Amino acid sequence: MGSPEHRRPGTGRRNRRDRHGRGLRGRLVPATVPLARTKAEVFDELVLDTVETLERRFAKELAGVEFAVEDVPPELNVYDSDVLEDGAVPLARLLPGRPGRQEMPPRIVLYRRPLEFRAMDREDLADLVHDVIIEQVANLLGADPDELA
C-alpha cells in the first residue's frame, strides 16, 4: 500500500477489528445465567444464604456480628482455639469482639479455597459452608451446634 491518500475507504487500521475483519466477540454466556458467576461469587452466595437463615432465627444475638470471606488463611505458625481446622488447615476463624475505646464487633471469617478443596460438588460445598458457619456461631453464642442447625 502506498500513502494514506491511496487507501480504500474502510480498510484502515481503525475500522478493522482483527485480521479477519471480525470484531471482538462478546460473552458466550449472558451475565444473568449461573455459568457466568465465578467460584468466589457462588461461594459468597452460599455463605449469604446460611447467614440470612441464621439471622432470621437469631436476630438479636447476631445483630453486631460480621461475616467475612477470605480466599486463604493467613500464614501463622500456630493457630489459636478460635480457628476451626481440618487437620492443620484452617477452614474458618472466630474473632471475638473487643469492647472499649476501639470497639470491634465479633467477626466470623471463612476461608474459601480450603473449603472448596474439601467439597466434592456444589451441594457438598453448601453443606460444608453451612456446617462451618453453624459451628462458629455456636462457639460465639456458647451454644450447642445441634441446637442451631
Side-chain angles (χ1 to χ4, degrees):
M1 294 204 155
S3 65
E5 298 89 35
H6 297 297
R7 286 188 186 164
R8 292 185 312 210
T11 60
R13 190 78 171 140
R14 188 176 230 189
N15 294 333
R16 285 182 29 188
R17 297 183 199 163
D18 66 10
R19 68 186 185 104
H20 298 290
R22 294 184 294 234
L24 297 174
R25 296 187 184 197
R27 299 182 120 197
L28 295 176
V29 179
T32 57
V33 176
L35 290 175
R37 295 181 309 188
T38 64
K39 285 183 178 183
E41 290 170 337
V42 169
F43 188 86
D44 290 345
E45 284 181 22
L46 294 174
V47 171
L48 190 59
D49 289 344
T50 300
V51 169
E52 285 176 346
T53 302
L54 284 172
E55 284 181 339
R56 275 187 246 123
R57 291 179 51 206
F58 303 100
K60 183 179 176 185
E61 294 87 345
L62 298 177
V65 179
E66 293 180 355
F67 292 86
V69 174
E70 292 182 13
D71 282 339
V72 293
E75 290 189 35
L76 300 174
N77 293 337
V78 178
Y79 291 103
D80 295 331
S81 62
D82 62 346
V83 175
L84 179 64
E85 296 177 297
D86 178 20
V89 179
L91 303 177
R93 184 173 190 174
L94 169 64
L95 301 167
R98 284 190 272 171
R101 290 176 54 189
Q102 294 180 343
E103 187 172 322
M104 286 182 57
R107 184 180 184 128
I108 295 174
V109 181
L110 277 77
Y111 301 118
R112 180 177 66 88
R113 300 287 300 269
L115 288 167
E116 286 177 341
F117 184 72
R118 280 154 182 75
M120 300 299 265
D121 55 16
R122 188 172 187 265
E123 232 176 85
D124 193 28
L125 180 61
D127 291 340
L128 185 58
V129 166
H130 180 269
D131 292 346
V132 168
I133 292 174
I134 292 290
E135 181 80 25
Q136 293 298 77
V137 169
N139 287 343
L140 177 67
L141 301 179
D144 184 30
D146 294 332
E147 295 174 10
L148 301 179

